Amino acid sequence: MAFIKINKENFFHNLSQFVEKTGSKKSVGIVLKDNAYGHGLELMAQLSKEFGLTQAVVRTYAEAQTIQPYFEEILVLGDSAIVDAQCSFTLNSLEDISKAQKGAVVELKVDTGMHRNGIAVSELEVALAQIEEKELILKGVMTHNRSADELSSELFWQNKVFENLKKTVASILSHKNIRFHSFNSASALRLPCQNEDFIRLGIGAYGYSELPDIYDTLDLKPVLSLWANKVSTRILQKGERIGYGGTFTTPKTMTVSTYDLGYGDGWMRSSSLQDFISCEKLPFLGRVSMDYVSLESEKKEVCIFDNALNAGKQLNTISYEMITQLSPKLKRYLV
Ligand SMILES: *Cc1c(COP(=O)(O)O)cnc(C)c1O
């Protein structure tokens, strides 16, 4: 079966760059949702701990439970709030407040312009009152930026909305020990971070920035590479056709091998529509099958990609999708 190599040195390198910006390991929350962006949830939790991070962000409570031994604090983005000393739960709506278990630690998400999740700014007072009534423990107030990775001033406008919100929250609540956070990787790349209580660091830790080049402020290194093993080799005469539909015709005598990666492993079949070229400059020949691809090579192992940003550009998608969709069945090896 195809497999994944995880480069620990590159991961630590990326984390160090962001820690330099925040000034503290304590304020960096490593985002481990969706199998740690395909890198492997438990493996990346272990490495994050070894590096010295104490906080993580996940989507589900089940993910949080898996990584509890590795962190002091875990923020759950997408499950109902229950009482767990180690976890805080995102409140995405007034309804979430009513569903929350009494005594749960919560972080209120406010919609400052993305219009995906969070209560409206106008609901703030009602929400804070309901949180108090329900005897929930408010740990933080947060928002999410809609265009941090685009070349525009929208990020600054949205930050301004959030800054005003902080003041409003402070004026409503007398106690001051609430954290505020809005930064994802792109925001952290573009803006100073030393005054942030907490940043939610996802894609940047894994080595990617989808920002236009002018924002390349940090030197990030991809952590993941995807590999496949040779299954068999055959010599084909000129004019033979390869794979389902025989869409590729050999232009000359070719030595072609089958490798054990397919769309069943989270590789996109749409790469059959355009010629995907591996990082070792080998074009995919014909259609991708469920478990196989064909390449002109006799190598025992081939590297399919070692940079998801470049690979994604060939397939009309973003680095996030290239790595997140990789099947959890694939073995992850630490190098
Ligand atoms: C996924 C996610 C992040 C991390 O975003 P990156 O762009 O990968 O850094 C931060 N905050 C929230 C709410 C998210 O859902």
Side-chain angles (χ1 to χ4, degrees):
M1 195 182 242
F3 61 96
I4 285 167
K5 290 186 188 175
I6 298 295
N7 186 317
K8 172 169 150 178
E9 204 176 301
N10 286 0
F11 184 53
F12 282 16
H13 166 85
N14 299 335
L15 292 178
S16 301
Q17 304 245 327
F18 285 97
V19 166
E20 214 164 284
K21 287 204 77 173
T22 60
S24 156
K25 287 179 181 171
K26 295 252 173 245
S27 55
V28 175
I30 179 75
V31 182
L32 297 175
K33 66 189 179 191
D34 294 273
N35 201 25
Y37 290 47
H39 290 61
L41 177 60
E42 206 161 350
L43 176 61
M44 298 317 283
Q46 252 165 34
L47 293 179
S48 303
K49 177 186 158 79
E50 188 182 326
F51 179 82
L53 298 186
T54 57
Q55 300 206 57
V57 180
V58 291
R59 178 152 88 174
T60 66
Y61 185 54
E63 289 169 330
Q65 285 175 304
T66 307
I67 60 167
Q68 271 179 330
Y70 306 104
F71 296 97
E72 288 167 19
E73 298 167 71
I74 301 167
L75 167 61
V76 179
L77 293 170
D79 258 341
S80 294
I82 57 166
V83 178
D84 183 318
Q86 217 177 334
C87 297
S88 58
F89 293 83
T90 309
L91 299 172
N92 279 308
S93 60
L94 293 178
E95 200 189 341
D96 279 356
I97 302 177
S98 61
K99 282 192 293 193
Q101 195 177 36
K102 182 178 150 181
V105 180
V106 295
E107 308 208 37
L108 179 64
K109 194 168 196 176
V110 182
D111 179 6
T112 52
M114 185 165 178
H115 305 322
R116 182 180 69 171
N117 282 317
I119 60 150
V121 175
S122 59
E123 292 172 326
L124 183 66
E125 261 179 87
V126 176
L128 292 175
Q130 286 183 5
I131 287 168
E132 185 142 337
E133 223 167 87
K134 196 86 206 257
E135 293 175 44
L136 305 176
I137 300 158
L138 184 64
K139 176 175 180 175
V141 173
M142 61 189 278
T143 194
H144 196 47
N145 292 320
R146 78 172 175 209
S147 330
D149 58 2
E150 278 163 28
L151 182 58
S152 78
S153 59
E154 285 213 8
L155 175 62
F156 300 94
W157 158 78
Q158 215 178 332
N159 265 332
K160 188 89 199 146
V161 178
F162 195 53
E163 285 305 318
N164 287 335
L165 188 83
K166 287 183 193 178
K167 289 185 199 135
T168 316
V169 172
S171 72
I172 298 171
L173 301 173
S174 46
H175 57 108
K176 285 264 173 342
N177 55 344
I178 287 189
R179 67 176 185 178
F180 292 93
H181 49 104
S182 65
F183 278 29
N184 58 1
S185 301
S187 316
L189 282 164
R190 282 177 70 176
L191 302 169
C193 301
Q194 66 272 15
N195 292 328
E196 294 303 305
D197 297 334
F198 183 60
I199 69 168
R200 307 185 303 261
L201 179 61
I203 198 76
Y206 304 104
Y208 303 106
S209 158
E210 293 279 346
L211 286 163
D213 293 345
I214 64 157
Y215 294 126
D216 275 346
T217 52
L218 301 181
D219 163 40
L220 300 175
K221 297 180 178 171
V223 173
L224 176 153
S225 55
L226 176 66
W227 297 73
N229 302 296
K230 185 171 77 175
V231 179
S232 62
T233 301
R234 49 194 52 71
I235 295 169
L236 298 175
Q237 301 308 313
K238 179 179 175 190
E240 304 273 15
R241 292 160 58 197
I242 297 175
Y244 281 117
T247 54
F248 179 84
T249 306
T250 52
K252 57 179 175 27
T253 302
M254 287 175 95
T255 304
V256 175
S257 298
T258 305
Y259 288 88
D260 61 357
L261 171 79
Y263 58 80
D265 303 305
W267 183 258
M268 289 208 275
R269 184 178 176 276
S270 64
S271 64
S272 330
L273 306 175
Q274 312 139 57
D275 287 335
F276 181 82
I277 300 172
S278 77
C279 59
E280 296 170 326
K281 303 272 183 292
L282 298 169
F284 281 23
L285 308 176
R287 280 190 192 149
V288 171
S289 311
M290 191 179 294
D291 298 317
Y292 303 109
V293 290
S294 297
L295 301 172
E296 185 181 16
S297 169
E298 283 187 275
K299 285 177 71 176
K300 194 169 160 285
E301 282 177 5
V302 288
C303 183
I304 303 297
F305 74 81
D306 57 8
N307 182 324
L309 194 69
N310 295 344
K313 280 186 182 140
Q314 288 194 56
L315 298 171
N316 265 323
T317 187
I318 54 176
S319 53
Y320 294 80
E321 190 179 22
M322 292 302 299
I323 50 184
T324 305
Q325 69 188 356
L326 293 171
S327 169
K329 291 182 307 192
L330 302 177
K331 283 230 164 61
R332 273 84 175 153
Y333 298 102
L334 197 57
V335 294

